[in-house]
Amino acid sequence: MLSGDIGVAGNAADNSFYVVQIDRNATLATTLDGLTISGGNADGTFIDGVRYGSGAGVNMEFGSSLTLRGVILENNRAADGGGAVQFSERGRLENVIVRNNSAPAGGGIFHAGRNTLTIINSIFTGNRADNGSAMLLGQGATIVNSTIAGNSEESISAQIGPSAVRLNGDNIVFANSIIWGNDGLAFNSFDGTLRPTLTNSIVQGGLYGGTDADPRFVGSGDLRLRPGSPAIDAGDNTAVPLAVNSDLDGNSRIVAYGSSAVVDMGAYEAVPPRLIVAVAASRLREGGQGVGVALRLNSRPGANVTVQLDAGSQAAVNDTRLEGLHEATLSYSLSSADGAYQGLQVAPTLLAVEDDERASAQLSSSTVRTGANGQGSYTLALGSAPSSTVIVTVTPSSELEVDPPVLIFTPANWSQPQTITFRQRTGAGVAALPSISHRASSADPIYDEAELPTVTVELSGGTKVYLPVMRGR
């Protein structure tokens, strides 16, 4: 920041006359870029016969030219003309904000020269002057995609009435621009005969063929366009210089808001309304901790917007189904009196969900004993619902025989216990280590090739064997 507030803070009386002064030899190649220039107070003081009264933010010596790019000019005051800048020759403003400056003439800028002044993607707001609260223009000025709004009369001394733009020369063109919400007229001139050329521009009062339609600014000092603004897709693409690819916000200058890519009027290109969804994590686990989903609109609506989670939108439901790694979808519906958001289509949010079900089985007993007749039995059921038929192969050790050797479970009967009968083979010795294992196969990937719990068998001769629990998936 470059500030003229060099004395007592906040006391403009001891501020510097000019914050920046440009030498007479400067050409248009001389550029101030990315600066904030404020606090100049060219109060009209005479020093050695020289009056310091114009261009408090940037004062340009006679014959000098200058380019301002990405500059903010604010809170400067001049006693004569050009509260922020006084141009004597050529000038160029790109992506410049001129706000809260004041002078009797040209509260924002004063263009006294007879050479070209070009203003692109710039804003003039909150400036004050008797004549030309935003700007006073000499001969030869082109203003493209700029917004002039909220500028006001400095006092009641204006001889021909207040205006946002004072015309002091001809060959002045406004294209794709907005002049709205200023004190007095949009334009006036010293003799009432000068008039600008307007193309694809909104002008309050409809002067000189401008469109008299509320541009629907966001409001509260925000000069961006709300959805539904008549300035959206209403400019002329051919008026935008080829080198200009972005607006004052740095967004693309020509955006297809509707069906075609047409530049908007004003300094800001409207961004199509969207619901922005931010999920803290894209992967969940059934029965695990939930994650936050943050929703926001990308532009201020003209009315309240209600976002409803559609029926059937459920994520990580803790059910008993075996689903493996599966997908959950969150879908949204928007309703609003603002037509831009009413029924707005929003892409669903997709979440990956880890299943907390595992391949398992419920045994009536993990240890069984043959009776006096060398036989015994137990039951087995699946521990969770499969998505497909599960075939369980029952495999005994060599000391035993089983019946049936295969169990079949379906998604309908998975929890119903099925009985397995076993018996000791004739002649089996008591020193053997008998057991019965269970292995599943299925189109359900959770159960396919899963090792289910093993049964330990105590033979009537007294041998007992303890085997490990299931190795599941």
Side-chain angles (χ1 to χ4, degrees), residues 259-309:
S259 59
S260 58
V262 179
V263 68
D264 296 345
M265 298 177 187
Y268 296 108
E269 195 76 11
V271 179
R274 290 192 300 122
L275 176 70
I276 299 173
V277 181
V279 183
S282 60
R283 193 180 183 105
L284 305 176
R285 179 177 174 79
E286 285 187 7
Q289 185 176 0
V291 298
V293 179
L295 307 176
R296 69 178 179 88
L297 305 179
N298 72 328
S299 61
R300 181 178 297 180
N304 290 343
V305 176
T306 300
V307 181
Q308 182 173 344
L309 193 65

Side-chain angles (χ1 to χ4, degrees), residues 9-30:
N11 181 7
D14 61 2
N15 287 14
S16 60
F17 298 136
Y18 312 137
V19 180
V20 178
Q21 189 166 31
I22 304 300
D23 182 81
R24 69 179 63 244
N25 295 316
T27 67
L28 203 58
T30 303

Side-chain angles (χ1 to χ4, degrees), residues 81-101:
V85 187
Q86 170 262 327
F87 287 97
S88 65
E89 289 293 334
R90 301 174 67 193
R92 184 178 180 90
L93 283 71
E94 300 176 9
N95 300 341
V96 171
I97 297 175
V98 183
R99 63 191 179 199
N100 304 328
N101 304 282

Side-chain angles (χ1 to χ4, degrees), residues 92-309:
R92 184 178 180 90
L93 283 71
E94 300 176 9
N95 300 341
V96 171
I97 297 175
V98 183
R99 63 191 179 199
N100 304 328
N101 304 282
S102 64
I109 64 171
F110 188 105
H111 175 227
R114 299 180 61 83
N115 290 307
T116 303
L117 173 67
T118 302
I119 301 173
I120 303 169
N121 285 348
S122 294
I123 281 179
F124 292 77
T125 186
N127 302 290
R128 303 176 305 282
D130 294 341
N131 293 303
S133 54
M135 60 184 70
L136 184 149
L137 300 177
Q139 183 174 356
T142 301
I143 295 87
V144 180
N145 280 107
S146 294
T147 302
I148 301 170
N151 301 284
S152 60
E153 185 180 5
E154 174 71 354
S155 69
I156 61 172
S157 63
Q159 298 178 355
I160 58 175
S163 67
V165 180
R166 169 69 178 264
L167 306 175
N168 272 18
D170 55 11
N171 295 325
I172 295 172
V173 176
F174 282 81
N176 303 343
S177 293
I178 300 173
I179 305 175
W180 194 267
N182 305 284
D183 279 356
L185 299 173
F187 302 97
N188 68 17
S189 65
F190 74 97
D191 63 359
T193 64
L194 298 174
R195 59 180 56 197
T197 298
L198 301 178
T199 61
N200 300 76
S201 293
I202 287 177
V203 177
Q204 191 163 13
L207 284 176
Y208 310 129
T211 300
D212 187 15
D214 185 348
R216 297 190 66 192
F217 295 131
V218 168
S220 300
D222 189 338
L223 299 179
R224 295 170 180 83
L225 303 175
R226 284 202 329 230
S229 166
I232 296 174
D233 286 352
D236 176 8
N237 290 355
T238 64
V240 181
L242 293 177
V244 176
N245 300 312
S246 59
D247 69 356
L248 186 56
D249 269 341
N251 297 321
S252 295
R253 180 66 269 192
I254 300 177
V255 174
Y257 190 96
S259 59
S260 58
V262 179
V263 68
D264 296 345
M265 298 177 187
Y268 296 108
E269 195 76 11
V271 179
R274 290 192 300 122
L275 176 70
I276 299 173
V277 181
V279 183
S282 60
R283 193 180 183 105
L284 305 176
R285 179 177 174 79
E286 285 187 7
Q289 185 176 0
V291 298
V293 179
L295 307 176
R296 69 178 179 88
L297 305 179
N298 72 328
S299 61
R300 181 178 297 180
N304 290 343
V305 176
T306 300
V307 181
Q308 182 173 344
L309 193 65

